């Protein structure tokens, strides 16, 4: 079974600085999807960024980017120019590819709580 | 606007009672999911359904039941057999074949 590990229960960053959240995963599949979700105090889950394993290029979304190391099974999230609104729980998630009887279910890490200091 | 609606936002249950959490979507998505969230545990899959009239157990299905009679609806019943039901429950649907989920806003269940 696939597993996702987030080794940093809590992180903090100064406003306008850069922070990197770590995520590793375990799988025997060669094709899959990886995601970072943000959960602010409202508890609404918000998709931040996604990465297809077959793509070598790292995904970016404005101030958010990933460092995807397929061989190392690592998928870290970098937040640049941190803002107060970035404070939230961040979850890394893995999903098997669709089709071939796949369930398309997401497997989540336990999360990293990010604090942004003014 | 399309989305997922979970109701109620807060729910209180007495011990020994069954309670049903509602999840409705108007996104025309086939697959729907129920997750439970506890502090420090991340999100754990309870049940999922990939098509109407079919559903599968997730990792922590004991004490829960679901139905999928309509594409739009995937209610979750927390039965009296669930030993520790106090938690935050999230419903989701699959956004697209290569994408992530769309989530509802959640239901906070408390046993009193």
């Amino acid at each position: 079974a696939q597993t996702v590990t987030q080794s940093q229960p809590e992180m903090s960053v100064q406003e306008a600085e850069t922070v990197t959240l770590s995520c590793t995963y375990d799988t025997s599949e060669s094709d899959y999807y990886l995601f970072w979700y943000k959960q602010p105090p409202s508890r609404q889950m918000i998709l931040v960024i996604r990465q297809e394993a077959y793509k070598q290029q790292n995904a970016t979304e404005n101030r958010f980017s990933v460092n995807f190391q397929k061989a190392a099974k690592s998928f870290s999230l970098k937040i640049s120019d941190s803002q107060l609104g970035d404070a939230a729980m961040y979850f890394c998630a893995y999903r098997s590819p669709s089709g071939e009887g796949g369930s398309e279910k997401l497997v989540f890490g336990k999360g990293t709580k990010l604090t942004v200091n003014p | 606007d399309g989305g997922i609606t979970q109701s109620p936002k807060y729910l209180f249950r007495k011990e020994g009672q069954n309670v049903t959490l509602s999840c409705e979507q108007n996104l025309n998505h086939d697959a729907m999911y129920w997750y439970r969230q506890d502090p420090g545990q991340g999100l754990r899959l309870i049940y999922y359904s990939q098509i109407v009239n079919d559903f599968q157990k997730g990792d922590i299905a004991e004490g829960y039941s679901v139905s999928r009679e309509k594409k739009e609806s995937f209610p979750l019943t927390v039965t009296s057999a669930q030993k520790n039901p106090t938690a935050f429950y999230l419903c989701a649907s699959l956004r697209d074949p290569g994408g992530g989920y769309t989530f509802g806003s959640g239901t906070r269940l408390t046993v009193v």
Side-chain angles (χ1 to χ4, degrees):
Chain A
Q2 293 86 9
T3 59
V4 177
T5 302
Q6 293 179 248
S7 59
Q8 307 151 315
E10 296 187 23
M11 292 280 286
S12 63
V13 63
Q14 291 296 125
E15 196 175 2
E17 297 294 311
T18 296
V19 64
T20 299
L21 308 184
S22 301
C23 173
T24 59
Y25 57 94
D26 187 27
T27 184
S28 59
E29 296 172 320
S30 60
D31 192 20
Y32 47 86
Y33 303 95
L34 296 165
F35 305 87
W36 278 99
Y37 279 89
K38 170 184 177 180
Q39 188 180 44
S42 68
R43 306 200 78 171
Q44 178 69 52
M45 294 288 283
I46 302 165
L47 178 64
V48 174
I49 200 166
R50 76 181 192 192
Q51 174 83 40
E52 291 94 335
Y54 66 86
K55 290 186 178 180
Q56 293 186 339
Q57 186 174 5
N58 290 326
T60 61
E61 288 287 344
N62 300 313
R63 298 182 295 107
F64 298 87
S65 61
V66 298
N67 183 4
F68 173 49
Q69 301 289 328
K70 190 173 184 179
K73 297 180 182 176
S74 172
F75 184 60
S76 60
L77 175 70
K78 185 172 82 171
I79 306 174
S80 304
D81 186 24
S82 297
Q83 301 176 359
L84 295 177
D86 295 334
M89 284 291 291
Y90 285 83
F91 292 97
C92 179
Y94 169 101
R95 209 197 89 195
S96 296
S98 303
E100 298 180 3
S103 66
E104 301 172 325
K105 58 182 179 180
L106 278 176
V107 177
F108 288 86
K110 293 186 177 182
T112 297
K113 182 179 180 181
L114 178 66
T115 301
V116 181
N117 299 310
Chain B
D1 288 339
I4 297 180
T5 301
Q6 288 188 244
S7 62
K9 191 174 180 67
Y10 299 96
L11 188 58
F12 297 88
R13 190 197 91 175
K14 293 182 178 179
E15 286 198 28
Q17 287 182 339
N18 293 354
V19 64
T20 297
L21 282 59
S22 172
C23 177
E24 303 279 335
Q25 55 104 351
N26 60 3
L27 300 165
N28 200 35
H29 290 170
D30 287 316
M32 297 185 73
Y33 305 81
W34 273 106
Y35 283 85
R36 169 179 171 143
Q37 186 177 16
D38 297 281
Q41 292 293 324
L43 279 72
R44 293 180 291 168
L45 182 64
I46 304 172
Y47 267 99
Y48 63 99
S49 168
Q50 293 181 276
I51 197 168
V52 175
N53 293 322
D54 187 45
F55 48 83
Q56 306 294 328
K57 291 182 179 180
D59 301 317
I60 56 165
E62 185 176 353
Y64 299 97
S65 65
V66 294
S67 63
R68 187 85 186 278
E69 298 176 359
K70 299 185 302 182
K71 190 174 187 177
E72 300 78 18
S73 179
F74 190 41
L76 174 74
T77 297
V78 185
T79 74
S80 57
Q82 170 49 235
K83 296 178 181 178
N84 185 20
T86 294
F88 187 65
Y89 292 87
L90 281 161
C91 179
S93 67
L94 185 61
R95 197 170 74 173
D96 59 71
Y101 292 174
T102 298
F103 281 90
S105 57
T107 293
R108 173 68 183 179
L109 173 63
T110 303
V111 173
V112 296

